[in-house]
Amino acid sequence: MAVKVGMIQLCGCSGCHISLLDLHEKLLEVLPNLEIVYAPIIADPKEIPEGIDVFLVEGGVRNEHDEHLLHEIREKSKIVIAWGTCAAYGGIPGLANLYTKEELLNTVYSTDSTENKGEIPSEEIPPLTEYVKPISDYIKVDYVIPGCPPTPKMIADAIIALLNGEEPKLPTKIVCDE
Ligand code: SF4
């Protein structure tokens, strides 16, 4: 029986998703065993379905909508994977933590390049959280696939191990010290 997989981009750049596509022909080994039931980057499903086996989460948490989705993902998934540095540690978007959210919003919406100059939209964007945070600050994470982005091989090996009911062999070091 195929493993039901979900994947999502929170506060990330899509690079982790692209890295999965970089598997090229090795995807053919993996895909027949997967049933991708939720992946907004591929289709636009309205709701996260129940009973997901493995959920790959790209990106950290930047706003209240991310936070809400993350809790729903945890409730509906057996295994949740922090997929890449942003999900695991905050990553590059975490540099925003050097500024207050007011400073960020004022900078973004007061430039000449925006139509609503100086006016911060209140309805179109979800409220920002105080800081960008890793997903493990909100939910229990089962595995971390590190890297920015993780290598295609690391992603494939982790998925194949899970398909075989094995523990994925993932790096335990977050910084190369050799
Ligand atoms: Fe993009 Fe790197 Fe973050 Fe993945 S870990 S979403 S590639 S910035």
Side-chain angles (χ1 to χ4, degrees):
M1 202 169 65
V3 170
K4 290 187 176 165
V5 172
M7 47 185 83
I8 198 168
Q9 176 198 12
L10 301 180
C11 186
C13 75
S14 304
C16 295
H17 280 76
I18 302 300
S19 191
L20 180 62
L21 296 180
D22 282 344
L23 280 170
H24 301 300
E25 67 274 8
K26 201 163 170 61
L27 266 177
L28 299 175
E29 262 180 58
V30 178
L31 281 179
N33 300 309
L34 303 183
E35 183 187 353
I36 299 174
V37 294
Y38 185 87
I41 207 161
I42 300 170
D44 187 20
K46 296 292 173 250
E47 285 186 18
I48 301 171
E50 302 277 349
I52 294 179
D53 295 306
V54 179
F55 213 116
L56 294 154
V57 179
E58 174 192 304
V61 173
R62 168 74 278 189
N63 61 48
E64 292 179 10
H65 185 59
D66 294 340
E67 190 181 341
H68 169 80
L69 284 172
L70 201 51
H71 286 294
E72 191 176 346
I73 286 165
R74 181 68 274 181
E75 272 171 31
K76 294 179 172 177
S77 311
K78 288 185 195 140
I79 293 172
V80 176
I81 297 179
W83 185 16
T85 299
C86 293
Y89 312 113
I92 291 169
L95 289 171
N97 293 344
L98 294 169
Y99 305 92
T100 65
K101 60 183 181 183
E102 289 75 22
E103 286 171 323
L104 294 169
L105 288 169
N106 285 333
T107 301
V108 169
Y109 289 102
S110 64
T111 67
D112 289 337
S113 62
T114 55
E115 282 180 19
N116 47 344
K117 204 175 351 173
E119 188 184 324
I120 299 167
S122 57
E123 291 175 5
E124 290 87 350
I125 59 169
L128 298 186
T129 47
E130 208 58 43
Y131 297 105
V132 176
K133 288 188 176 178
I135 66 170
S136 59
D137 276 26
Y138 293 88
I139 60 163
K140 175 180 172 285
V141 170
D142 299 291
Y143 300 104
V144 171
I145 305 181
C148 178
T151 62
K153 183 176 182 316
M154 203 186 296
I155 300 169
D157 288 351
I159 292 174
I160 290 167
L162 290 169
L163 286 174
N164 293 331
E166 298 164 1
E167 285 287 308
K169 292 191 181 67
L170 292 163
T172 51
K173 292 177 184 171
I174 59 170
V175 176
C176 179
D177 61 357
E178 291 177 352

